[in-house]
Amino acid sequence: MVAGCAGPAAPAQPKAAPAGAGSVPAAGAATAGRGAAGPPAAPHPLPGLAHQEEETSGEVVARRESVARAALETAQRWGLDRPPLKAPPRPATRVALTPVQGVKLKDGRPPVVFRVPTDDKVVFLTVDDGFEKDPAFSRMAGELGIPLSAFLSDYLVRDNYGYYRDLHKQGVEINNHTINHRNLKVLDYETQRQEICNQQDQLEQQIGVRPRLFRPPYGEYNDDTLRAAASCGVQAVPMWNEEAFPDHMEWRYDDRKLHPGDIILTHFRGTADWKATMPDLLRKVVNDVTAAGFSLGRLDDYL
């Protein structure tokens, strides 16, 4: 079973970032039937144009082959079994949520979502807390083009918001995980509102964008949590179906396999907690997702 978000319960001293995996960049026209008398084919209106079209087609093939070679080389440098599968195009509009399995709706409250309703073979990687600020992880995600969403607790990241500003610049969406990573379910409404809304304000100030998504620490919440989140602009509360570690995946459901729209949880952790680095974690996740025939998408594009 999924263990859930087990963030540090009290502020901790930052650790040095572990060494990364490497410092490297990331038909022709239809013919008449036999014997049919038809006009002779007209000459090409612009002599040489057909040849130019063939050249253009050849250039496209060559460019695609070059891109594929580069993707393979980058994947190999980071120790992947093969390049990650390309995600579907970003949806023109975010999915309309209805009360189906994996989605909980209540009037006046942001929806709680365990699985995004989609038929695309896409799953979503989300990273919580913010304790480990590994530059190799940032490089790996950037060079491989891995989309992900971060959910940050202020007390763990206030010493280096710059790391997360840089992640945001390379396409990582930064979302809310409260100020102090407390179990909201045992707190009164006003305290919950301070934990959530103060972090909304802090992230807007530090990153430049007010978060749309919020995840409660440990996955613990009640109606006051959702009411408080709605009061300061939260539009959805994504949970998770799987939790990823550098050496295994923990599953919420007994079939122990990925489904379209699954949300994968992991954490900003390093060698002190895992005996492995964040690039080790990302390598394991990407290899497993790719082997299962899925691509990784950005949660914020769908939800």
Side-chain angles (χ1 to χ4, degrees):
M1 295 295 292
V2 175
C5 179
Q13 295 298 318
K15 296 181 284 188
S23 179
V24 290
T31 58
R34 290 186 181 273
H44 200 290
L46 294 176
L49 182 58
H51 178 62
Q52 293 174 16
E53 290 171 347
E54 290 173 1
E55 287 183 337
T56 302
S57 177
E59 290 169 359
V60 169
V61 171
R63 186 161 54 250
R64 288 174 178 172
E65 290 176 348
S66 177
V67 169
R69 283 195 301 272
L72 178 59
E73 291 170 0
T74 303
Q76 290 173 337
R77 286 198 299 269
W78 286 107
L80 296 180
D81 296 339
R82 52 178 165 158
L85 298 176
K86 185 177 180 180
R90 176 178 179 171
T93 58
R94 294 186 173 96
V95 297
L97 297 176
T98 57
V100 296
Q101 182 182 11
V103 178
K104 297 181 179 180
L105 300 178
K106 183 178 180 180
D107 288 345
R109 308 291 187 262
V112 179
V113 182
F114 289 83
R115 177 181 291 151
V116 177
T118 179
D119 295 326
D120 293 341
K121 290 202 72 175
V122 60
V123 295
F124 307 98
L125 179 61
T126 63
V127 194
D128 279 12
D129 299 351
F131 180 68
E132 190 75 17
K133 305 165 187 70
D134 186 344
F137 173 79
S138 176
R139 288 198 307 273
M140 183 178 183
E143 292 175 11
L144 291 168
I146 303 299
L148 54 93
S149 299
F151 291 79
L152 303 183
S153 291
D154 177 72
Y155 90 91
L156 291 170
V157 302
R158 66 172 66 120
D159 65 321
N160 190 0
Y161 265 107
Y163 177 84
Y164 296 100
R165 282 192 289 270
D166 290 344
L167 274 179
H168 181 67
K169 288 175 183 177
Q170 73 181 41
V172 175
E173 293 297 333
I174 306 298
N175 294 300
N176 188 337
H177 201 44
T178 72
I179 290 285
N180 294 303
H181 204 278
R182 302 173 67 184
N183 180 352
L184 299 176
K185 198 172 181 178
V186 303
L187 305 178
D188 60 65
Y189 171 79
E190 187 53 40
T191 305
Q192 292 198 50
R193 191 176 187 282
Q194 291 173 9
E195 282 285 335
I196 300 167
C197 296
N198 288 356
Q199 182 65 340
Q200 287 285 92
D201 295 340
Q202 176 75 315
L203 289 172
E204 183 174 22
Q205 177 182 345
Q206 293 288 346
I207 307 300
V209 178
R210 192 168 185 82
R212 298 175 47 259
L213 307 182
F214 158 72
R215 174 177 285 157
Y218 316 105
E220 295 289 345
Y221 72 96
N222 56 22
D223 189 66
D224 279 348
T225 312
L226 302 181
R227 184 160 62 98
S231 76
C232 48
V234 170
Q235 297 178 26
V237 178
M239 305 298 263
W240 62 91
N241 309 98
E242 295 86 25
E243 183 171 358
F245 297 86
D247 59 349
H248 72 284
M249 189 86 79
E250 293 187 357
W251 307 86
R252 184 176 298 277
Y253 302 110
D254 291 339
D255 62 3
R256 300 176 63 83
K257 64 181 183 181
L258 296 173
H259 305 83
D262 274 4
I263 302 170
I264 302 172
L265 163 71
T266 193
H267 296 85
F268 288 98
R269 295 284 197 274
T271 54
D273 298 287
W274 283 337
K275 313 305 179 186
T277 67
M278 290 207 68
D280 294 331
L281 163 78
L282 189 55
R283 186 178 305 113
K284 170 67 173 173
V285 171
V286 174
N287 279 337
D288 286 357
V289 168
T290 304
F294 285 81
S295 62
L296 285 164
R298 182 176 288 103
L299 180 65
D300 306 70
D301 291 347
Y302 283 73
L303 195 57

